[in-house]
Amino acid sequence: MSPAISKLFEMVVLDICNEFFTTYSLQFGFKDKIGCADAIFTLKSVISHFTQSGSSVFIASLDISKAFDSVNHFKLYHSLLSAGIPVMIIDVLCDWYGKLFFAVKWNNVISLQFAVGSGVRQGSCLSPAIFNVFMNVFIVELKKLNLGCHVSQMFVGCLLYADDIILLSPTVGGLQAMLDKCFEISCVLSLKFNVCKSHCMIIGRMYTRTHQEMR
C-alpha cells in the first residue's frame, strides 16, 4: 500500500507530465472516459465491417504473464525517454523506483528487505499512465508492418486493454507476421506471453477452412 504522501507526489508528477503520457487511441486501458465497453464496440465494429463485405477476420488474443510485476525498470525508463518524457522527470522516477524495497512476512516472521528491479507500484496513481506508455510500443511497431485490419486506411489491427492484446487481420499470413512481431517486442521488453490464456480464432466465411487450405 502506498502512503498518502507518495500518492500526492505521484499525482503532482502526473499532472506535470500528463501531456507526455499520450498513447494511441487503440489502447483502451487506464484512460479517462474510455473503458472496456469502448474496446468491445471497436472490436465488434471492425469484425462487422469485414464480415459484411464477405471477408473473414483472423484474430489472436494474447495475455502477458504478470505484466505489471514483470516490467523491467530499465526498459521502462527507456520507453518513457522515447515517449518524450523530460529527462528531469525520468531521473526522479529512477530515484523513486531505485528505493523500492520489499520484505516477506511468513508466520509472523519478517524477512530482510531486498531491492526490486521490476514491476510498477501497485495502487500507484502514476503506474497506469507509465504502463500505458510502456505497452504502446506494441501498437507503434505493429502499425509499421502495414498489415492487419484497416478501415478507410486507418489501422485497427491491434487493440490493447492494459496488458491484454487482440490482433486482427484479414489474412492468416498477416496474423502470423503480427504474432512474430509481438514475440520480438516481448523479447526486447523482457515480457512473456501466457500460452494457456492466448487463443486464435476465425470469424467469417473461412471459419470452416483448415490451416492447410488457407495457406
Side-chain angles (χ1 to χ4, degrees), residues 21-93:
F21 290 127
T22 302
T23 57
Y24 272 102
S25 58
L26 296 173
Q27 166 62 279
F28 295 89
F30 307 130
K31 289 186 175 180
D32 187 33
K33 299 180 181 180
I34 297 177
C36 188
D38 300 282
I40 294 174
F41 174 78
T42 303
L43 176 63
K44 293 176 65 176
S45 298
V46 173
I47 293 174
S48 297
H49 174 80
F50 280 85
T51 55
Q52 288 177 4
S53 62
S55 301
S56 297
V57 181
F58 298 85
I59 305 173
S61 62
L62 307 177
D63 177 81
I64 299 175
S65 300
K66 301 179 180 179
F68 290 94
D69 297 327
S70 302
V71 175
N72 181 282
H73 289 171
F74 177 78
K75 302 292 178 66
L76 176 63
Y77 304 145
H78 184 269
S79 297
L80 295 176
L81 187 63
S82 300
I85 305 297
V87 176
M88 181 181 300
I89 298 298
I90 296 178
D91 287 341
V92 172
L93 291 176

Side-chain angles (χ1 to χ4, degrees), residues 89-182:
I89 298 298
I90 296 178
D91 287 341
V92 172
L93 291 176
C94 287
D95 184 69
W96 187 238
Y97 272 86
K99 296 177 180 178
L100 187 61
F101 291 86
F102 283 1
V104 178
K105 183 177 181 180
W106 180 264
N107 289 335
N108 296 322
V109 178
I110 300 179
S111 71
L112 296 175
Q113 293 185 350
F114 55 92
V116 178
S118 62
V120 293
R121 289 174 176 265
Q122 300 295 323
S124 163
C125 303
L126 190 59
S127 292
I130 61 178
F131 183 79
N132 273 358
V133 174
F134 182 72
M135 292 291 294
N136 195 59
V137 65
F138 281 96
I139 302 177
V140 173
E141 295 301 320
L142 288 170
K143 188 177 180 181
K144 290 179 181 178
L145 294 178
N146 198 30
L147 297 172
C149 289
H150 287 72
V151 176
S152 298
Q153 298 184 341
M154 181 177 66
F155 176 70
V156 287
C158 175
L159 308 181
L160 266 70
Y161 192 92
D163 59 337
D164 295 313
I165 305 173
I166 290 183
L167 305 179
L168 304 165
S169 173
T171 65
V172 66
L175 181 63
Q176 183 61 62
M178 294 171 73
L179 286 169
D180 293 339
K181 175 57 70 173
C182 284

Side-chain angles (χ1 to χ4, degrees), residues 197-211:
K197 292 185 178 181
S198 299
H199 305 277
C200 291
M201 66 187 78
I202 306 171
I203 298 179
R205 60 185 179 84
M206 296 185 67
Y207 80 98
T208 58
R209 302 285 185 88
T210 64
H211 178 68

